[in-house]
Amino acid sequence: MPVQLQQKLQKLSASGACRSLINFQHGLEKESLRVDTNGHIAKTSHPQTLGSALTHPAITTDFSEALLEFVTPVFSNPSENLQYLHDLHSFTYAQMERDELLWISSMPCIVGTDKDIPLAQYGSSNSGLLKTLYREGLGYRYGRAMQTIAGIHFNFSLSYEFWQNYQELLGNTDSLTQFRTEQYFALIRNFKRYSWLLLYLYGASPALCKSFVRNRSSGLEEYDQHTLFAPYATSLRMGDLGYTSKAQQDLKISFNSLEEYSAGLLRGIHQEYSPYSTFIGEDGRPVQINSSVLQIENEFYSTIRPKRVSNSKLRPVQALLKEGVEYIEVRLVDLNPFLSLGIDEEQMQFLSVFLVTCLLRDSPDISSSERDVIEDNFQLTVRRGRDPQLELNDQGKMRKLSEWAVELLANTQEVASLLTTLSGSKSYFDACVNAMSKVSNSELTPSARVLKRMSEEKCGYFRFAMNQSLASSDYFRASPLSSDRSVFFQKMSKSSLLKQKEIETADTLSFTDYLQSVNESYRQLI
């Protein structure tokens, strides 16, 4: 274990900061694609009884009208997040047509042409039209198929009390907001360095439908007539077939400080990208918010983001600069097709331990050369993570992924031991032990289990994922909500529809003027 980490844990154990360390909070955002019983993306509208996708706090849509997104409140106990997520699924299935179901895997199947993938609709308000326009721009820029990939975002924060105690422990005299922000960025930098480990442990997309790739070169092997795969792949969703953008990579956005990060985002929003300027709709209608590298902050594809909840009048980057980082959003979690919710409590607990470990380790700035190494390690793990011969670059030294993973997990176990003492539960430590077992035996990883199940059932990716999706559908349809819980979500849906109407009624600007005002608000931040 690094001497610095060992010393930090010793100091924590003897301080007030230790007691407040365990008080972290989690939130989940889980995407699931609505499909018909043939596996095609549903072309039906977002069910009215689910409420307004614009204003509902827990059930919305992402890119497509068919791509549902479930959002849990923030809880301190992972089991509460999962129960709420379970209830959202049960309620949603009760509102869906019997011939539709939720696709349980991250990679979609079967994918048609762009016109077969309906854009999400949010009503006639300016804010709703802007959300659809943003998605239309994404479709032009990257193709709509890429936007149908589903995943889970894991939101994580430490308590106000902890930050006060931790600042005192480190003898820092900055404002608490500045200290907390700098510490979250330190966590993010270490996450970038070591997140290849999460791909190995929890990646669950080693294969995909040929229809997703179409005529693109993939570098994958043919599994059968309809399936492509890589024998040692972990998460093809996070590779160059998924959320990647050459234009964005050229921005080289830095995580060394909030100021550098924000400057990079604003540069992307203001920097014209000539290939995008050719996208124009019929009669000159705009098909994107602007022709910059980034339309808005959310277009920046990153495995992790600094975030905060703020006044809607402030742009996200503006809120971060003014009020600091409140929590972080982990964005690389695949849907585990062997779990009805795509994630379980053990994985949430390991993610928490991993993030705390990233916080407590020394975290120097990331140089341009290290940024390239981090990306290379990540992409190698995407395609070859379970290859026993795979070597990664650790500060200029090549070493086996498995050897490095054992070392990192030993560090997380030390952190987990402290959390176990604080919580009185062995669950954090057990999560690390189970993670270590996956390093010892790669066949225990979700990606290996997917390929093994395909082999056992003598089927390709589509049939495997469809079987899992059907089983999940049967489970939720057979698990109806209690009447009280059902009424709770019904009221939430009805309230969201009323709120959408209020927003639409309150609009005074034309959408053309509104769009101009949005772009002008970003120009003022230069």
Side-chain angles (χ1 to χ4, degrees):
M1 179 169 58
V3 173
Q4 172 273 334
L5 178 59
Q6 186 176 31
Q7 292 174 343
K8 187 76 69 65
L9 287 172
Q10 289 172 349
K11 290 177 71 175
L12 273 170
S13 297
S15 74
C18 186
R19 291 188 298 275
S20 56
L21 175 61
I22 196 66
N23 299 326
F24 33 73
Q25 295 187 306
H26 328 83
L28 295 175
E29 303 169 38
K30 188 234 181 187
E31 300 158 343
S32 288
L33 196 62
R34 276 191 303 117
V35 301
D36 62 27
T37 50
N38 293 315
H40 294 276
I41 295 171
K43 295 183 175 63
T44 52
S45 298
H46 183 66
Q48 179 83 355
T49 50
L50 289 179
S52 165
L54 178 67
T55 59
H56 199 297
I59 304 174
T60 183
T61 51
D62 195 271
F63 174 81
S64 173
E65 192 77 345
L67 186 56
L68 285 168
E69 183 173 349
F70 302 112
V71 182
T72 75
V74 174
F75 294 109
S76 57
N77 190 328
S79 64
E80 294 180 274
N81 293 98
L82 295 171
Q83 183 59 57
Y84 198 96
L85 189 60
H86 181 282
D87 291 350
L88 288 173
H89 280 69
S90 293
F91 178 74
T92 297
Y93 263 109
Q95 315 307 314
M96 286 170 52
E97 299 292 335
R98 297 292 301 190
D99 59 353
E100 290 184 357
L101 62 154
L102 299 179
W103 193 249
I104 203 167
S105 292
S106 282
M107 299 305 293
C109 194
I110 302 167
V111 183
T113 62
D114 272 11
K115 65 181 177 60
D116 296 319
I117 303 172
L119 292 175
Q121 303 296 317
Y122 301 95
S124 60
S125 69
N126 284 329
S127 58
L129 293 173
L130 186 75
K131 288 172 73 72
T132 297
L133 180 63
Y134 166 62
R135 286 153 175 76
E136 188 171 11
L138 295 178
Y140 272 88
R141 293 170 179 220
Y142 315 111
R144 294 190 180 186
M146 191 186 91
Q147 304 299 323
T148 62
I149 298 173
I152 294 175
H153 298 168
F154 179 78
N155 300 321
F156 177 86
S157 65
L158 290 137
S159 70
Y160 181 83
E161 181 186 8
F162 168 77
W163 290 120
Q164 285 183 310
N165 294 332
Y166 193 52
Q167 182 178 28
E168 181 179 348
L169 177 70
L170 297 186
N172 181 278
T173 57
D174 295 331
S175 70
L176 185 61
T177 296
Q178 182 179 348
F179 172 75
R180 180 179 62 192
T181 292
E182 289 175 352
Q183 291 297 313
Y184 272 130
F185 269 92
L187 182 161
I188 288 170
R189 290 193 295 276
N190 277 336
F191 180 92
K192 299 290 282 188
R193 291 180 171 105
Y194 308 125
S195 57
W196 54 264
L197 177 61
L198 299 179
L199 293 183
Y200 174 87
L201 293 174
Y202 300 111
S205 51
L208 50 81
C209 218
K210 279 187 180 179
S211 64
F212 178 80
V213 175
R214 291 196 170 275
N215 298 320
R216 286 183 293 163
S217 174
S218 69
L220 299 175
E221 297 181 26
E222 189 172 272
Y223 186 88
D224 65 16
Q225 184 180 357
H226 303 293
T227 301
L228 296 173
F229 83 118
Y232 297 113
T234 59
S235 175
L236 294 177
R237 163 179 171 263
M238 298 306 302
D240 55 6
L241 296 175
Y243 289 112
T244 58
S245 164
K246 178 63 165 62
Q248 290 189 25
Q249 290 172 353
D250 290 343
L251 287 175
K252 300 188 183 301
I253 290 178
S254 169
F255 289 96
N256 289 337
S257 69
L258 173 57
E259 291 70 28
E260 290 184 41
Y261 175 76
S262 300
L265 284 181
L266 289 173
R267 186 169 64 251
I269 294 171
H270 294 296
Q271 182 176 309
E272 288 288 316
Y273 188 60
S274 56
Y276 295 163
S277 64
T278 61
F279 302 145
I280 300 173
E282 297 178 3
D283 302 323
R285 180 184 67 83
V287 293
Q288 56 189 345
I289 294 176
N290 53 51
S291 55
S292 300
V293 177
L294 304 175
Q295 297 175 87
I296 56 176
E297 297 93 332
N298 283 353
E299 190 173 342
F300 175 49
Y301 296 129
S302 177
T303 56
I304 188 169
R305 287 177 181 167
K307 302 275 287 200
R308 80 162 298 109
V309 177
S310 187
N311 188 317
S312 60
K313 293 181 180 179
L314 294 176
R315 299 300 171 198
V317 65
Q318 192 177 12
L320 281 174
L321 284 168
K322 182 178 180 180
E323 302 166 355
V325 180
E326 184 179 9
Y327 66 97
I328 56 99
E329 177 188 49
V330 174
R331 300 169 51 82
L332 53 61
V333 181
D334 281 358
L335 300 183
N336 185 332
F338 298 103
L339 301 172
S340 60
L341 297 176
I343 190 170
D344 60 12
E345 189 167 350
E346 179 183 296
Q347 184 175 351
M348 292 180 68
Q349 287 166 329
F350 181 83
L351 288 171
S352 296
V353 177
F354 181 82
L355 293 170
V356 171
T357 306
C358 287
L359 171 68
L360 298 180
R361 291 183 65 125
D362 274 348
S363 183
D365 287 353
I366 295 176
S367 65
S368 58
S369 58
E370 187 184 8
R371 182 191 300 119
D372 293 338
V373 168
I374 287 171
E375 181 62 21
D376 287 344
N377 285 343
F378 193 86
Q379 293 303 327
L380 282 169
T381 308
V382 163
R383 292 281 182 131
R384 298 176 49 212
R386 287 179 290 102
D387 184 345
Q389 302 307 314
L390 176 62
E391 293 186 333
L392 302 180
N393 186 334
D394 179 11
Q395 297 180 321
K397 175 185 176 182
M398 300 306 294
R399 59 190 306 197
K400 291 278 185 68
L401 178 149
S402 55
E403 173 194 327
W404 195 2
V406 167
E407 180 183 296
L408 291 177
L409 287 172
N411 296 338
T412 64
Q413 284 183 344
E414 293 295 327
V415 175
S417 294
L418 177 59
L419 296 177
T420 294
T421 300
L422 293 170
S423 66
S425 168
K426 287 186 60 183
S427 57
Y428 293 102
F429 190 81
D430 288 345
C432 293
V433 171
N434 288 338
M436 189 74 84
S437 69
K438 292 175 184 170
V439 176
S440 302
N441 181 4
S442 65
E443 291 302 305
L444 298 176
T445 62
S447 56
R449 292 179 62 203
V450 168
L451 295 180
K452 182 179 180 182
R453 180 68 65 85
M454 288 166 54
S455 175
E456 290 173 344
E457 297 184 353
K458 296 181 173 54
C459 66
Y461 171 70
F462 167 76
R463 180 40 54 191
F464 159 77
M466 177 56 81
N467 288 345
Q468 297 299 113
S469 300
L470 288 169
S472 178
S473 173
D474 290 342
Y475 167 73
F476 284 114
R477 291 190 187 279
S479 307
L481 294 175
S482 67
S483 58
D484 288 347
R485 198 65 171 154
S486 182
V487 168
F488 170 79
F489 285 115
Q490 287 171 9
K491 288 181 177 179
M492 192 180 292
S493 295
K494 290 176 182 177
S495 176
S496 70
L497 292 169
L498 291 174
K499 188 173 182 180
Q500 176 180 322
K501 289 182 179 179
E502 290 173 1
I503 294 172
E504 291 171 347
T505 302
D507 276 345
T508 56
L509 290 176
S510 68
F511 182 66
T512 299
D513 290 340
Y514 178 77
L515 179 59
Q516 183 177 347
S517 72
V518 169
N519 284 317
E520 179 59 32
S521 69
Y522 281 110
R523 281 190 286 270
Q524 292 174 357
L525 296 177
I526 298 177

